[in-house]
Amino acid sequence: MKKTYLYLLLLPGLLFLTVFMVVPILLTIGSTFFDKGSFTFGGYMNFFKDPYFLKIVLTTLRVSLVTTLLCILLGFPVAYYISKQSPRMKAVLLALAIFPLLTSSVVRSFSWMIILGKKGLLNNVLLAIGLIQEPLDILYTPAAMMIGLIHLFLPLILITLVGVLENIDPDLIKAAESLGANRFTAFVKVIVPLSVPGLIIGSILVFVGSLTAYTTPALLGGKQRVISTFLYQNAITLNDWYLASVIAVIMIVITFVVIALMNKLATKLNPKG
């Protein structure tokens, strides 16, 4: 009786998700297999035959993967440092890390436009100290998108890693050192494998966020197209909802494939879970 009562509590949420998320997604997927009333795979075949479309997919994957890797490289040392602080200092540092999430992505993107532009702060500083002779073309490139996305999603990986790292017993490092390992070896052999769950969750959040982000790539990428901006262009500007649906389904498939691969990687890196 008690379990039945608990299941009933789930009913409103499940009903809401089914009506407003599951059903629309299924309808979107189904619509891509019918064109002018007949069943067809033409939408997908035409998409993957077009070099321009493939270039957009590859650019999106490259930007998302590099953003994820850089977030891990930048976030792991910071998260490890935060996890070793006192509870009070840890709360302060986490608050500072989370603070950028309180700012709109539009505001942050416009800030990076001011910094990365040809007459922006970065180029002015580099020209002033003599490191470059002419302004760098950073804005409206994949590099600019990556910078904006790292700023956008780095707090997410920090939060997930801190939660995992602070629960790792520090005596494990001492035990590894007592068996002959130096601090670096102990860190690589003990801390990194135990932090795999946080790395995987954080990586999925960053990758999926980078893959589906629209505002930052649209503002910092300029004419550089990624899947999200290409979908918007076809749906709103060109009013081609059929191709927009095909693109949306491809985004969903890529997301599930990447999540499956990351889970498989996590199992290999940490077989005991």
Side-chain angles (χ1 to χ4, degrees):
M1 182 64 184
K2 190 175 181 180
K3 284 188 176 181
T4 305
Y5 174 72
L6 291 174
Y7 289 142
L8 287 173
L9 293 176
L10 291 173
L11 203 57
L14 289 174
L15 186 62
F16 181 86
L17 290 174
T18 301
V19 173
F20 293 104
M21 189 179 77
V22 177
V23 172
I25 288 175
L26 291 177
L27 290 174
T28 300
I29 294 172
S31 68
T32 62
F33 294 104
F34 291 91
D35 188 22
K36 296 178 181 179
S38 58
F39 184 83
T40 178
F41 289 101
Y44 297 99
M45 293 175 67
N46 292 334
F47 185 93
F48 288 107
K49 282 180 181 178
D50 194 317
Y52 177 70
F53 295 167
L54 290 177
K55 183 181 177 182
I56 290 172
V57 173
L58 292 175
T59 300
T60 306
L61 290 174
R62 185 172 73 251
V63 168
S64 301
L65 286 171
V66 173
T67 299
T68 303
L69 290 173
L70 290 176
C71 280
I72 291 171
L73 292 175
L74 293 171
F76 199 99
V78 176
Y80 185 71
Y81 174 79
I82 294 174
S83 68
K84 297 304 173 186
Q85 302 305 306
S86 64
R88 187 168 184 174
M89 180 58 69
K90 191 185 300 180
V92 172
L93 293 174
L94 278 175
L96 291 173
I98 296 170
F99 183 75
L101 295 176
L102 303 177
T103 309
S104 168
S105 59
V106 177
V107 174
R108 281 184 275 180
S109 297
F110 274 112
S111 300
W112 280 113
M113 291 173 73
I114 295 170
I115 294 170
L116 301 175
K118 274 199 170 184
K119 295 183 179 180
L121 179 63
L122 179 61
N123 275 316
N124 288 339
V125 171
L126 294 176
L127 286 168
I129 61 179
L131 285 179
I132 58 174
Q133 300 302 317
E134 57 183 23
L136 299 174
D137 290 319
I138 303 174
L139 190 61
Y140 305 135
T141 64
M145 286 191 278
M146 292 175 198
I147 292 170
L149 290 170
I150 290 169
H151 185 202
L152 193 64
F153 295 115
L154 185 58
L156 297 180
I157 206 162
L158 280 174
I159 295 167
T160 56
L161 282 174
V162 168
V164 173
L165 290 169
E166 67 183 358
N167 290 318
I168 297 176
D169 192 342
D171 289 338
L172 293 174
I173 293 288
K174 294 178 182 178
E177 290 176 349
S178 70
L179 295 172
N182 57 40
R183 289 193 69 83
F184 178 76
T185 304
F187 179 83
V188 172
K189 297 287 186 180
V190 177
I191 299 298
V192 173
L194 290 176
S195 64
V196 165
L199 281 172
I200 296 299
I201 294 170
S203 298
I204 289 172
L205 289 174
V206 174
F207 182 87
V208 174
S210 302
L211 183 75
T212 58
Y214 170 76
T215 304
T216 300
L219 293 175
L220 298 180
K223 293 183 179 179
Q224 294 284 335
R225 287 282 173 264
V226 291
I227 294 179
S228 57
T229 57
F230 188 51
L231 190 155
Y232 179 87
Q233 181 188 39
N234 280 277
I236 305 302
T237 307
L238 302 177
N239 203 29
D240 188 349
W241 286 93
Y242 179 74
L243 181 55
S245 299
V246 170
I247 298 167
V249 173
I250 289 170
M251 289 179 71
I252 294 170
V253 172
I254 291 174
T255 301
F256 280 110
V257 168
V258 170
I259 290 173
L261 290 175
M262 286 186 175
N263 285 329
K264 192 170 183 180
L265 178 63
T267 303
K268 285 191 175 182
L269 292 175
N270 192 7
K272 296 181 180 178

